């Protein structure tokens, strides 16, 4: 059985599958489009909310260093993603990469995990967007009925119609084509980045250097009763993370790391990129660099405007401007956050549908979902299915229940991709690599260590959810995927539709 569970799919076969007329995605994206997608999904609530939370609770003004540390951890993973995305320009991201190196079962595990993560992420962002819109409507004197304003605070039946409508509208846009999606994303990202730049430039005039003293506050032990925040670290090392001090910066980094989640979604669009060998590394690394610089600048400004001990946890940027006597910026920032969450939601939905599409094309999920639209050349069937399901989830589920996002999935994907780079370098040294991760295996190993360290900082509930979802995934794989896999059936379908021996290696 081990030979079938770890059978790999040759890179050449993965690329050949993208040329099948009924299963081929349209190539329309450039390096700029990919960079915009990356910036669009990375800059979300993290930059507007997490800055105040970690500055007040963990790092003080040194939160800027926490963003740098988290950015470095992501950069290590990004270098590995860039090599794979340029070498295997196929939809599916970490799923496709692991199929080519680790085997079918590991590929299924990571694909199954990413589908859940992106689905919950889309729902969370949609509900958050709905909250911002309702707040703006309330400021304008328009109030929605409680029954249509979301489950939080509603009595009896409640449906968040704004969150559901957002998901459905974005689903329609994704069905109509990637280029349209890229144009809309470019416009929205331009607005979002403008808001962030205004915050940085305007806020710089209100900085008081006294607020930076001390830049790294003195370390304090974590309060009793909060030990469940990082149980694995305490179990394995007998150490609980501290607030403030040098270790407080690393504790903060494990929190602000989640503000960077999303750059890996760029890799899911590899198959729809005109020149993936050149443009994928530029899009992945470029978007990560831009967002890191913006995050660091915002954190420096906000901790300079207001002492970290008085920063708001819910809306630190907006409240910092209120503190300086400029409340107008609060509404401006809320508008930017609402606009920005639109692209986050759309790109998360995009990433999920591409992973689902790739798994379907390989036979691990029903092949019905791997046929593209005859006109728009998009995977319309999984997009519509997942869009409707997520709209229902976002409409009926309270935000406090959705907020438990399976962030562990991204870190797990980082580990898998880094290991896959090392393995594929050894098993397929003949492959042309337009971009090569430097210092292999050092960089991939560092990426694995950084990701595992951040995983150890995750709460117990996240690990429990991860385990339950993985258990369900194993059942689905052994009941359906293992026997319906195209490698299991010995299928090899080329552009002309001819069927021949399988292109997979049995391990």
């Amino acid at each position: 059985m081990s030979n079938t569970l770890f059978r790999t799919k040759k890179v050449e076969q993965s690329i050949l599958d993208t040329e099948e007329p009924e299963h081929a995605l349209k190539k329309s994206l450039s390096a700029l489009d990919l960079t915009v997608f990356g910036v669009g999904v990375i800059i979300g609530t993290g930059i507007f909310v997490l800055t105040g939370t970690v500055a007040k609770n963990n790092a003080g003004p040194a939160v800027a260093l926490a963003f740098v540390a988290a950015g470095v951890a992501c950069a290590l993973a990004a270098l590995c993603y860039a090599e794979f995305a340029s070498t295997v320009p196929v939809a599916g991201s970490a799923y496709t990469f692991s199929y080519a190196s680790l085997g079918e079962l590991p590929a299924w595990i990571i694909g199954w995990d990413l589908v859940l993560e992106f689905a919950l992420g889309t729902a969370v962002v949609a509900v958050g967007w709905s909250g911002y819109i309702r707040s703006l409507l309330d400021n304008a004197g328009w109030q929605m009925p409680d029954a249509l304003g979301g489950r939080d605070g509603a009595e009896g039946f409640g449906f968040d119609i704004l969150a559901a409508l957002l998901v459905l509208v974005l689903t329609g846009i994704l069905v109509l084509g990637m280029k349209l999606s890229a144009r809309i994303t470019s416009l929205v990202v331009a607005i979002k980045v403008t808001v962030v730049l205004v915050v940085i430039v305007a806020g710089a005039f209100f900085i008081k250097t006294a607020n930076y003293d001390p830049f790294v506050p003195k370390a304090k032990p974590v309060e009793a009763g909060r030990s469940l925040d990082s149980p694995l670290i305490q179990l394995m090392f007998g150490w609980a993370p501290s607030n403030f001090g040098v270790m407080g910066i690393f504790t903060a980094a494990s929190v602000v790391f989640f503000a960077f989640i999303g750059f890996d979604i760029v890799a899911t669009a590899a198959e729809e990129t005109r020149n993936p060998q050149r443009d994928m590394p530029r899009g992945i690394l470029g978007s990560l660099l831009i967002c890191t610089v913006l995050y660091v600048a915002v954190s420096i400004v906000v901790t300079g405007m207001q002492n970290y001990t008085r920063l708001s946890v819910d809306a630190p940027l907006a409240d910092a401007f209120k503190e300086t006597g400029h409340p107008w910026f609060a509404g401006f920032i809320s508008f930017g956050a609402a606009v920005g969450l639109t692209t986050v939601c759309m790109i998360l939905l995009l990433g999920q549908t591409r992973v689902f599409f790739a798994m379907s094309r390989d036979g691990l999920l029903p092949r019905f979902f791997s046929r593209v639209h005859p006109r728009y050349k998009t995977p319309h069937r999984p997009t519509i299915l997942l869009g409707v399901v997520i709209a229902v989830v976002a409409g009926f589920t309270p935000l406090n229940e959705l907020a438990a996002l399976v962030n562990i999935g991204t870190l797990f994907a980082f580990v898998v991709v880094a290991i896959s780079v090392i393995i594929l370098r050894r098993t397929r040294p003949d492959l042309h690599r337009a971009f090569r991760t430097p210092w292999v295996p050092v960089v991939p190993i560092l990426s694995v260590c950084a990701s595992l360290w951040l995983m150890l900082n995750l709460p117990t509930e996240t690990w429990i959810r991860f385990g339950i979802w993985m258990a369900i995934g194993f059942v689905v794989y052994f009941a359906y995927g293992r026997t319906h896999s195209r490698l299991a059936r010995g299928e090899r379908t080329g552009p002309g539709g001819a069927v021949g021996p399988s292109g997979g290696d049995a391990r």
Side-chain angles (χ1 to χ4, degrees):
M1 178 180 289
S2 60
N3 286 340
T4 60
L5 297 182
F6 295 95
R7 55 196 172 204
T8 59
K9 183 178 181 181
K10 287 185 177 180
V11 173
E12 292 84 354
Q13 182 59 40
S14 294
I15 296 176
L16 188 64
D17 287 346
T18 67
E19 300 174 3
E20 299 175 21
E22 293 183 338
H23 307 282
L25 300 173
K26 184 177 180 180
K27 298 182 182 295
S28 59
L29 300 179
S30 64
L32 178 61
D33 294 326
L34 295 172
T35 303
V36 169
F37 272 134
V39 173
V41 72
I42 295 173
I43 297 182
T45 53
I47 198 169
F48 298 107
V49 177
L50 285 181
T51 303
T53 301
V54 296
K56 189 171 184 176
N57 298 329
N58 302 109
V63 63
L65 299 180
F67 275 114
V68 172
V72 169
C74 290
L76 293 171
L79 290 170
C80 298
Y81 268 90
E83 173 169 327
F84 253 117
S86 61
T87 306
V88 193
V90 178
S93 185
Y95 159 75
T96 300
F97 306 156
S98 56
Y99 209 163
S101 54
L102 301 178
E104 186 171 280
L105 180 59
W108 167 267
I109 292 172
I110 193 61
W112 183 254
D113 176 64
L114 290 176
V115 166
L116 174 70
E117 181 199 355
F118 292 159
L120 291 182
T122 305
V124 168
V125 174
V127 174
W129 176 88
S130 174
Y132 275 110
I133 294 298
R134 290 198 305 273
S135 176
L136 291 172
L137 290 176
D138 289 342
N139 292 339
W142 300 335
Q143 190 169 9
M144 295 187 64
D146 289 341
L148 298 179
R151 293 285 296 172
D152 294 320
E155 296 182 2
F157 176 82
F159 185 79
D160 195 334
I161 191 171
L162 290 178
L165 284 177
L166 174 66
V167 175
L168 293 177
V169 169
L170 297 179
T171 297
I173 292 173
L174 289 175
V175 169
L176 292 177
M178 279 293 288
K179 197 60 184 177
L180 174 62
S181 305
R183 289 171 180 169
I184 294 175
T185 301
S186 298
L187 175 63
V188 176
V189 168
I191 296 173
K192 177 163 56 176
V193 172
T194 299
V195 172
V196 173
L197 292 176
V198 167
V199 169
I200 295 171
V201 175
F205 290 97
F206 307 116
I207 289 177
K208 297 179 181 178
T209 55
N211 289 329
Y212 293 132
D213 186 20
F215 189 75
V216 182
K218 187 177 180 180
K220 300 177 182 178
V222 172
E223 299 176 6
R226 298 182 62 190
S227 59
L228 283 179
D229 287 350
S230 52
L232 294 184
I233 285 182
Q234 296 177 67
L235 178 64
M236 297 174 67
F237 304 105
W239 170 82
S242 64
N243 290 329
F244 309 112
V246 175
M247 295 311 301
I249 295 175
F250 289 103
T251 302
S254 68
V255 178
V256 300
F257 165 80
F258 301 110
F260 289 92
I261 287 180
F263 76 85
D264 55 313
I265 295 179
V266 176
T268 66
E271 191 174 326
E272 295 159 276
T273 304
R274 288 194 293 264
N275 189 345
Q277 288 76 15
R278 180 195 66 189
D279 295 341
M280 287 306 301
R282 294 180 179 181
I284 293 173
L285 297 172
S287 59
L288 183 60
L289 176 62
I290 291 171
C291 293
T292 302
V293 171
L294 291 177
Y295 278 10
V296 171
V298 167
S299 61
I300 290 175
V301 167
V302 74
T303 54
M305 291 177 64
Q306 190 174 18
N307 189 277
Y308 75 91
T309 59
R310 301 202 316 271
L311 281 175
S312 163
V313 173
D314 296 328
L317 273 65
D319 289 347
F321 277 102
K322 287 181 181 179
E323 184 77 9
T324 60
H326 296 80
W328 178 85
F329 280 99
F332 182 67
I333 292 171
S334 295
F335 168 76
V339 171
L341 290 180
T342 306
T343 57
V344 178
C345 189
M346 182 169 71
I347 299 169
L348 283 170
L349 183 59
L350 163 72
Q352 185 201 36
T353 58
R354 270 43 180 186
V355 172
F356 197 96
F357 168 80
M359 296 174 73
S360 172
R361 189 166 57 188
D362 290 333
L364 297 178
L365 291 173
R367 289 270 288 171
F368 170 82
F369 294 107
S370 67
R371 294 186 181 274
V372 299
H373 193 280
R375 177 180 177 183
Y376 303 119
K377 298 300 180 182
T378 56
H380 60 295
R381 291 173 176 174
T383 301
I384 294 172
L385 170 68
L386 296 171
V388 171
V389 170
I390 294 172
V392 172
V393 171
F396 279 112
T397 311
L399 180 59
N400 60 350
E401 294 182 17
L402 283 175
L405 175 64
V406 192
N407 294 311
I408 195 172
T410 296
L411 289 165
F412 182 53
F414 288 0
V415 172
V416 170
V417 171
I419 294 174
S420 298
V421 166
I422 299 174
I423 292 177
L424 205 63
R425 282 283 188 98
R426 294 178 63 87
T427 59
R428 294 299 307 275
D430 57 303
L431 285 176
H432 172 67
R433 293 168 170 82
F435 178 88
R436 298 177 67 89
T437 303
W439 304 313
V440 173
V442 176
V443 167
I445 290 175
L446 289 176
S447 177
V448 170
C449 293
S451 298
L452 289 176
W453 174 255
L454 293 175
M455 289 174 73
L456 292 176
N457 281 276
L458 294 171
T460 305
E461 291 81 2
T462 299
W463 285 90
I464 293 174
R465 289 192 301 271
F466 183 71
I468 293 174
W469 181 252
M470 287 297 103
I472 296 173
F474 276 104
V475 173
V476 175
Y477 174 75
F478 284 102
Y480 182 89
R482 187 169 68 92
T483 54
H484 288 78
S485 164
R486 297 181 72 190
L487 290 185
R489 297 190 172 198
E491 294 183 16
R492 177 180 177 180
T493 307
V499 176
S502 170
D505 296 330
R507 282 188 174 184

